[in-house]
Amino acid sequence: MLNLTLNIRYVFLICNLHIMNLQLKWIEIHLCEAQAQFLCDGLGAVWVREDDIWKELDGHDLVKNVGLDDGTFLYTKQRAMDAVSRLLETRTDPHGIKELKCPDLLAEHYKPVACRIRQWFSEHALIVFPVSTLLIGCTVLFWKVRQRRYISSRVEELYHQVCEILEDNALLSKRENGECEPWVVASRLRDHLLLPRERKNPGLWKKVEELVQEDSRVDRYPKLVKGESKVVWEWQVEGFLSSSKVRKKVEANRLKSTEGSGINSDQLHRTLKAEPKALIF
């Protein structure tokens, strides 16, 4: 019988502690969330009357769902009040009414993530702003330098392609005794060599034109083509080997040295035929 009584008291004590912890946790969340909002936005009440808190707790679902009798509830309430006084900040207003407030350090844990980020940037603005400006400036500078290097490399590539096409066209016209025009319309050459996205950048082809104008091997003059006046380019140096042709001869000689003197003319013809031909206009 004694053991049963002790067990009942033990269970009763555990239940009371559990209920008290629930009450204490609800008060902590209720006050600290309000304090966190005040620290973030400056809105809400800082100090709350203790009577108002208990009135709100009396009508809360936490008490209704547990189903405590008045004696048990008053007991757990008194224990929770003692614990709240140790956990939260307290004061007495001029009317003698006790007020509670969540400590700022505890309220920090209840701040939303957006509020923490905003306050961090606000506190470190003197460091964040210059560093962000420096990073953005370095990124823009790096992008411009990279863009200039790409344009410079692309202009040289297009210029060499123009020279190869003009020379091939001039040599072909000479071999076919004038059946093929020795000149090439500059605008058609531009549309053939430029990628669709590159045509939106008029400065790219303009730089190619500047290199062509500085090249004494290329003659530039207007010509009437199908009733329209066009600017044409024509290669003027006879028997000149462009870089592509020099490359082809070097590759052919290297092929001879690696495979030996037994290679016949048909094999060499097939090797050269496999290389891409220049566009003829």
Side-chain angles (χ1 to χ4, degrees):
M1 189 68 180
L2 180 60
N3 291 335
L4 179 60
T5 303
L6 292 176
N7 290 335
I8 293 175
R9 290 181 179 179
Y10 179 75
V11 172
F12 179 76
L13 178 60
I14 295 298
C15 292
N16 288 341
L17 290 175
H18 177 67
I19 295 170
M20 185 190 70
N21 289 333
L22 290 177
Q23 292 174 335
L24 183 60
K25 190 62 179 178
W26 181 88
I27 296 173
E28 176 186 335
I29 295 174
H30 183 72
L31 292 181
C32 290
E33 285 183 349
Q35 180 67 12
Q37 181 180 1
F38 177 80
L39 294 177
C40 290
D41 307 323
L43 303 176
V46 178
W47 292 91
V48 181
R49 291 184 175 184
E50 186 181 44
D51 293 340
D52 295 338
I53 296 175
W54 292 116
K55 288 179 182 179
E56 188 174 353
L57 182 59
D58 291 345
H60 198 268
D61 294 337
L62 174 66
V63 177
K64 295 179 180 179
N65 295 334
V66 173
L68 298 175
D69 54 43
D70 294 339
T72 303
F73 176 71
L74 291 176
Y75 173 76
T76 57
K77 177 180 177 180
Q78 185 61 42
R79 295 288 301 274
M81 289 178 63
D82 296 338
V84 164
S85 300
R86 293 192 298 269
L87 176 66
L88 305 178
E89 296 181 10
T90 61
R91 76 174 185 181
T92 303
D93 67 0
H95 302 286
I97 299 175
K98 189 176 182 180
E99 294 179 333
L100 303 174
K101 182 177 82 73
C102 178
D104 292 346
L105 291 178
L106 184 59
E108 290 288 335
H109 300 285
Y110 290 87
K111 284 184 178 180
V113 177
C115 173
R116 296 182 185 182
I117 295 176
R118 186 172 66 250
Q119 288 187 340
W120 187 90
F121 276 102
S122 177
E123 293 173 0
H124 299 82
L126 296 178
I127 299 176
V128 173
F129 182 75
V131 172
S132 301
T133 304
L134 181 62
L135 290 177
I136 294 174
C138 292
T139 302
V140 173
L141 180 62
F142 174 77
W143 182 83
K144 287 184 177 180
V145 171
R146 184 178 180 182
Q147 193 72 7
R148 288 179 182 177
R149 292 183 61 183
Y150 167 77
I151 292 177
S152 177
S153 175
R154 182 61 175 155
V155 167
E156 292 183 2
E157 180 183 0
L158 292 170
Y159 166 70
H160 289 304
Q161 291 177 354
V162 168
C163 292
E164 292 173 6
I165 292 175
L166 292 178
E167 184 184 3
D168 288 343
N169 193 71
L171 295 177
L172 181 61
S173 174
K174 185 177 181 180
R175 286 200 303 267
E176 296 184 359
N177 298 323
E179 294 182 6
C180 177
E181 297 293 345
W183 45 264
V184 176
V185 179
S187 59
R188 296 178 184 174
L189 191 60
R190 174 199 63 200
D191 295 339
H192 170 70
L193 293 177
L194 290 182
L195 300 174
R197 67 173 182 273
E198 293 176 338
R199 296 173 189 172
K200 299 178 182 180
N201 183 11
L204 180 62
W205 186 252
K206 187 176 180 180
K207 293 180 181 296
V208 177
E209 291 178 338
E210 292 175 356
L211 292 179
V212 172
Q213 290 176 1
E214 297 173 356
D215 196 333
S216 61
R217 301 169 298 179
V218 181
D219 192 9
R220 301 159 301 280
Y221 54 89
K223 189 174 183 62
L224 195 64
V225 180
K226 295 183 180 181
E228 296 183 7
S229 179
K230 302 285 186 180
V231 177
V232 298
W233 293 347
E234 182 178 351
W235 190 264
Q236 294 298 317
V237 179
E238 295 184 0
F240 180 82
L241 294 178
S242 65
S243 59
S244 65
K245 291 181 174 59
V246 172
R247 232 175 11 249
K248 290 179 181 179
K249 290 186 67 177
V250 171
E251 291 175 358
N253 294 333
R254 186 182 304 164
L255 184 63
K256 288 182 180 181
S257 63
T258 54
E259 295 186 359
S261 58
I263 184 172
N264 53 41
S265 59
D266 293 337
Q267 292 175 332
L268 180 60
H269 177 72
R270 285 195 298 269
T271 302
L272 296 177
K273 190 176 180 179
E275 298 180 355
K277 296 182 179 180
L279 177 65
I280 305 300
F281 292 83

